Amino acid sequence: SWTPLPASGHQGFAEALYAAERSAMSAPVMLRGVVSDPQQPAIARASAVSLLGRYPGPASSDLLHAALRDASPLVRAAAVQALSGEPPEQRSRWLLPLVSDPVRAVRIEAAQALAGVPLTDASTAEREALARATSEYLAAQQFNADRPEAHGNLGLYYARIGQQQRAQAEFARALAI
């Protein structure tokens, strides 16, 4: 009551996230507003990016691709996740540059999303960067090997690259834990 208006950026994202969780018709427009507003906190923009993946279309796609170049690693990682369901040729085009991201979390998200994707047009340097990022991803899962989620992640990874027996073994370990 002692301030006439809320501070700029004050919880401006809450309504958009709520609308998306309810699948409201206004959700895509509201989410795009949050994603494109640099005054919003990075965690809010990253949350909006992850939800925006549910609403395909040119406007959403353009924002998701732009989010891959965002200054915040949270937003970049969320964009990788949101685009991980794209067809393989589009995934390799958009996500391959992120296996060289300066932030490890973004690199391993990109490596995981590119598992099993044919890289016919990739350069030697891009393939080497992907191999390094994939090693980081696998090491991160092994570090958390006492958790069933890590074995589930490894099972999905091995299934994507066509190593079905290894995938089954990892899923069995996850169930055992």
Side-chain angles (χ1 to χ4, degrees):
S1 64
W2 41 275
T3 57
L5 297 172
S8 175
H10 176 73
Q11 298 293 317
F13 55 86
E15 292 83 7
L17 299 179
Y18 181 67
E21 287 300 323
R22 289 183 334 189
S23 298
M25 289 183 61
S26 61
V29 172
M30 294 174 77
L31 289 171
R32 288 193 294 267
V34 172
V35 171
S36 60
D37 182 0
Q39 298 299 316
Q40 296 299 321
I43 188 69
R45 289 185 302 112
S47 297
V49 163
S50 67
L51 293 168
L52 192 58
R54 298 179 187 175
Y55 302 97
S60 295
S61 182
D62 290 345
L63 279 176
L64 291 175
H65 294 147
L68 292 170
R69 297 179 304 279
D70 196 272
S72 168
L74 288 173
V75 175
R76 292 193 307 273
V80 169
Q81 289 175 350
L83 292 167
S84 66
E86 293 289 309
E89 61 279 354
Q90 291 179 0
R91 253 187 293 161
S92 65
R93 179 174 149 217
W94 289 106
L95 303 183
L96 195 54
L98 286 126
V99 299
S100 298
D101 195 272
V103 176
R104 183 175 185 234
V106 177
R107 290 192 306 269
I108 65 177
E109 281 296 330
Q112 183 272 336
L114 289 168
V117 173
L119 301 175
T120 55
D121 295 335
S123 69
T124 302
E126 289 172 325
R127 290 174 193 272
E128 289 172 356
L130 177 58
R132 285 190 300 274
T134 299
S135 293
E136 288 179 308
Y137 173 75
L138 295 173
Q141 299 310 315
Q142 290 299 329
F143 179 79
N144 292 310
D146 59 332
R147 308 275 311 164
E149 298 90 351
H151 293 286
N153 291 340
L154 287 170
L156 290 171
Y157 171 79
Y158 289 125
R160 285 188 191 120
I161 64 169
Q163 295 184 13
Q164 303 307 323
Q165 288 182 329
R166 278 184 96 172
Q168 288 176 347
E170 291 297 338
F171 290 136
R173 283 190 197 114
L175 290 171
I177 293 173

